[in-house]
Amino acid sequence: MDLRTTYMGIELKNPIIIGASNLVLDLEMAKKLEAAGAAAIVYKSLFEEQLHLEAAELEDELHEYDNLHAEMTSLFPNIEHSGPKAHLLALKKLKETVSIPVFASLNCTYDVSWIEYAKYLEETGVDGLELNFYSTISDVEKTPAEVEDSRIDILKKVKDAVSIPVSVKLSPFYTNLMNVVYRMDKVGADAFVLFNRLFQPDIDIKEEKLRVPYNLSHKGDNRLALRFAGLLSCNLKGSICSNTGIHDGEDVITMLLAGANTVQVVSTVYKNGVIQITRILEELSAWMKEKGYEKIDDFKGKLCKKNVEDPHAYRRGQYVDYLMKAKEYLKKYPVN
Ligand SMILES: Cc1cc2nc3c(=O)[nH]c(=O)nc-3n(C[C@H](O)[C@H](O)[C@H](O)COP(=O)(O)O)c2cc1C
């Protein structure tokens, strides 16, 4: 079975990409993922915020004993935080270790850093760059237009600064996501990763404290990504990579039918092990064989918005259908 697909201008041997996570910090694990059939890897994001925090911690540690001697300005006068160097080195190592494409991922705090770090990441030899536009905006004065304009401006500047393909990984929480995507498509985003799964804090009611749960997705969490793959895929220049809640072969097939070029998986590997990649590829091949498809393009986008009978299907909230056929649904799903 021919599982090849094209993602932001790069041919991949199949649509399964390992999403950014801690999974590939270990090179042995990266090799295993490649052997299991993964077509590409996104390396963990370079988070500018983390670098600043580490640098501040180091500064504190270096000055911890300063008051031991009145004339001593510092015990370690010449030590500085190495900035992104360790990350860049690890990324370079990963690129040398596997033969599948490797993508870097970037999340910055300051506009100017996006461009500077994007260039550093490109120098490691990676095949593409994912801009992880993850942030929880907590500034009440900021308008949606300001947030969106600044993202689009960053994308434009990064595109001008590097020559590798650039994708954007978005959250679904924009006022008008379709508009944001279309504007980014116009300024040349090579792909859209839909969607990032934002960190959600929880509260421990026994201890009455905030806690940090391990944020893995579950099967069924893919519906939002599916809707937007269906809505957007037939109308964009950039590729679509569906993400969040893709756990098995069935989930991958649904995304391809909706028009995605690729998918990214993380949680399913944490939950089911590396072997899950092989299983997904087997399930995809078996389904294609059963349906008589020889290659991905034979069915990719078959159910995108412009190809389905009911063009409103992706737009209309399911509840409208419930309202129209209330009695039918009550019979089907009786309430005790
Ligand atoms: C442990 C862990 C680390 C992650 N690190 C990153 C990261 O560095 N950058 C990023 O863009 N997403 C990161 N993610 C989010 C994943 O790439 C992915 O978008 C999310 O888990 C949804 O996909 P899934 O349902 O297959 O897990 C991380 C997720 C997990 C569980």
Side-chain angles (χ1 to χ4, degrees):
M1 211 61 73
D2 183 355
L3 301 183
R4 278 176 302 170
T5 184
T6 305
Y7 178 59
M8 49 179 183
I10 299 169
E11 187 181 279
L12 300 183
K13 62 181 176 181
N14 68 59
I16 317 297
I17 300 174
I18 305 301
S21 71
N22 296 4
L23 276 171
V24 293
L25 297 184
D26 169 17
L27 294 179
E28 286 310 307
M29 176 58 82
K31 281 196 236 168
K32 280 187 199 160
L33 287 161
E34 180 177 26
I41 288 172
V42 185
Y43 192 63
K44 188 173 176 51
S45 300
L46 172 58
F47 285 105
E48 187 187 7
E49 193 184 2
Q50 186 184 346
L51 297 180
H52 290 312
L53 286 173
E54 283 172 7
E57 268 174 25
L58 180 68
E59 193 65 14
D60 284 351
E61 281 165 25
L62 294 180
H63 292 281
E64 202 175 337
Y65 305 107
D66 282 5
N67 57 356
L68 287 183
H69 191 295
E71 286 170 14
M72 203 178 270
T73 50
S74 172
L75 280 176
F76 316 98
N78 295 321
I79 298 178
E80 271 179 23
H81 186 266
S82 63
K85 278 184 207 144
H87 185 99
L88 298 172
L89 215 64
L91 184 55
K92 211 164 170 215
K93 273 252 161 65
L94 173 66
K95 177 68 193 148
E96 286 161 7
T97 303
V98 294
S99 52
I100 50 178
V102 172
F103 304 122
S105 169
L106 179 61
N107 177 279
C108 288
T109 321
Y110 302 105
D111 286 10
V112 50
S113 318
W114 284 97
I115 295 112
E116 187 186 335
Y117 289 174
K119 287 188 197 160
Y120 290 152
L121 290 168
E122 181 181 34
E123 281 167 18
T124 63
V126 288
D127 301 86
L129 173 62
E130 190 171 283
L131 302 183
N132 173 11
F133 281 147
Y134 173 107
S135 66
T136 37
I137 311 284
S138 52
D139 177 357
V140 288
E141 300 291 332
K142 227 173 199 165
T143 66
E146 282 171 336
V147 175
E148 292 162 14
D149 289 350
S150 91
R151 297 288 193 245
I152 288 158
D153 189 49
I154 289 162
L155 170 64
K156 251 197 261 176
K157 287 183 177 149
V158 171
K159 279 287 296 176
D160 287 344
V162 300
S163 52
I164 48 176
V166 178
S167 65
V168 286
K169 186 175 188 183
L170 300 176
S171 103
F173 304 118
Y174 285 91
T175 310
N176 184 353
L177 181 82
M178 300 280 284
N179 177 268
V180 174
V181 169
Y182 280 118
R183 287 178 67 198
M184 289 183 170
D185 198 48
K186 264 199 196 139
V187 299
D190 295 285
F192 297 89
V193 182
L194 306 174
F195 296 105
N196 204 341
R197 183 176 168 80
L198 297 190
F199 163 72
Q200 309 286 6
D202 197 4
I203 285 180
D204 181 329
I205 57 166
K206 203 167 158 208
E207 299 290 329
E208 296 186 28
K209 273 204 302 213
L210 272 174
R211 69 175 170 203
V212 185
Y214 211 50
N215 198 28
L216 296 182
S217 67
H218 307 279
K219 185 165 168 70
D221 288 350
N222 64 339
R223 302 282 165 75
L224 195 63
L226 180 67
R227 168 181 284 193
F228 280 95
L231 278 172
L232 290 163
S233 63
C234 300
N235 300 309
L236 293 179
K237 276 192 259 128
S239 314
I240 295 229
C241 176
S242 297
N243 181 219
T244 291
I246 297 160
H247 282 250
D248 54 24
E250 181 189 22
D251 295 340
V252 175
I253 295 162
T254 57
M255 291 303 178
L256 296 173
L257 281 168
N261 302 69
T262 54
V263 301
Q264 282 184 19
V265 292
V266 171
S267 294
T268 197
V269 180
Y270 274 108
K271 287 181 174 180
N272 302 305
V274 172
I275 188 73
Q276 187 68 0
I277 303 297
T278 314
R279 279 195 212 116
I280 289 177
L281 291 170
E282 282 168 4
E283 284 165 18
L284 173 59
S285 297
W287 178 84
M288 284 171 65
K289 192 170 174 203
E290 190 192 318
K291 294 283 181 182
Y293 296 131
E294 284 169 7
K295 53 187 191 310
I296 299 286
D297 275 345
D298 290 348
F299 64 96
K300 186 176 102 48
K302 191 176 175 182
L303 298 180
C304 76
K305 187 188 148 207
K306 88 167 188 239
N307 292 338
V308 288
E309 267 173 39
D310 176 0
H312 301 295
Y314 281 110
R315 268 196 278 150
R316 193 170 44 208
Q318 182 74 12
Y319 66 87
V320 175
D321 202 40
Y322 291 156
L323 290 175
M324 305 288 279
K325 301 175 192 156
K327 281 188 185 153
E328 225 174 275
Y329 274 99
L330 209 56
K331 256 193 229 156
K332 209 165 157 193
Y333 303 106
V335 180
N336 294 319

